[in-house]
Amino acid sequence: MKHEAGQKPRALDGFRFIFKHRLLRSIMVILIVMILALGAISVGEVFLVVDELGADAITYGIIGALFAGGSLIGAILLQALKVKEKHQVPGLLIAMSLAVTSFALLGLSQSIVMVAIVYFLAGVGNAGINVFAIGQIQRNATEAARGRIMAAVQGSLTAGNVTSLGLGGILIGIFGVREVFVSAGVVALIALTILGPQMLKAAREQ
């Protein structure tokens, strides 16, 4: 991002760059929607797994570890596959689809085993999002603005996460944990359905 001589870079430059860039704008909006959905799940997962499905503390811990395991295995597989640049945006779309579908499936899970499987798959999707989304942001950011762009991304996701935790708790208290999980997944899937084709088109036009 160019600045006139003597003009200091501004904190909002990162946001301006993202929202002027068609591909990065689509990625950013979807990520924020997903973070908002994930916050509700972070609040409600203990109620679903422990209170409704009757898991003990050890089982709950194992389920959490499966998400981490899915993320690790997904990252290792993606490194081994060495996905070509032209396939990375479609790969991001697949990873996002896997993650948001997992959100909704959690609300429909009737057993600990199903929750465990869904958590593992969500972890794999999370790995793809981390690899492909951050890769696209860094690849499309100009060198001069890269630091501010990454700060804008991290700041937005952190703000979304904090907001979603409070909002998720309120919604779960009103509507119930399963209803909120399914609704969060559906909302994220709608955002992905609307913006996903824009991501693919923007990637092809680059």
Side-chain angles (χ1 to χ4, degrees), residues 18-94:
I18 289 171
F19 284 95
K20 287 180 180 178
H21 194 289
R22 187 175 179 185
L23 175 59
L24 297 188
R25 181 175 65 244
S26 298
I27 291 174
M28 187 72 168
V29 172
I30 294 174
L31 285 177
I32 291 174
V33 173
M34 291 181 66
I35 286 293
L36 291 172
L38 186 59
I41 291 170
S42 298
V43 171
E45 62 181 358
V46 65
F47 300 112
L48 175 66
V49 176
V50 176
D51 293 347
E52 294 206 14
L53 298 178
D56 56 23
I58 295 175
T59 303
Y60 180 66
I62 291 172
I63 288 173
L66 284 170
F67 178 86
S71 297
L72 178 61
I73 292 172
I76 293 172
L77 286 174
L78 289 173
Q79 287 291 335
L81 290 172
K82 298 186 184 301
V83 180
K84 294 181 180 179
E85 185 173 341
K86 67 179 181 179
H87 296 142
Q88 290 192 6
V89 172
L92 174 59
L93 196 56
I94 292 170

Side-chain angles (χ1 to χ4, degrees), residues 37 40-41 103 168 171-173 175-185:
I41 291 170
F103 296 166
L171 292 175
I172 288 171
F175 299 107
V177 63
R178 290 185 181 276
E179 292 80 1
V180 171
F181 277 22
V182 173
S183 298

Side-chain angles (χ1 to χ4, degrees), residues 100-192:
V100 300
T101 302
S102 299
F103 296 166
L105 288 176
L106 277 176
L108 301 174
S109 297
Q110 299 297 322
S111 69
I112 294 295
V113 172
M114 186 173 179
V115 170
I117 293 171
V118 169
Y119 260 67
F120 180 80
L121 293 176
V124 174
N126 179 66
I129 293 169
N130 287 337
V131 170
F132 293 134
I134 299 304
Q136 286 300 313
I137 291 168
Q138 291 181 337
R139 186 172 296 109
N140 287 281
T142 60
E143 185 175 351
R146 188 169 292 129
R148 291 186 298 281
I149 291 168
M150 292 305 299
V153 171
Q154 294 297 331
S156 298
L157 297 183
T158 299
N161 187 52
V162 172
T163 301
S164 67
L165 291 174
L167 184 61
I170 294 171
L171 292 175
I172 288 171
I174 296 172
F175 299 107
V177 63
R178 290 185 181 276
E179 292 80 1
V180 171
F181 277 22
V182 173
S183 298
V186 169
V187 169
L189 192 57
I190 290 172
L192 194 58

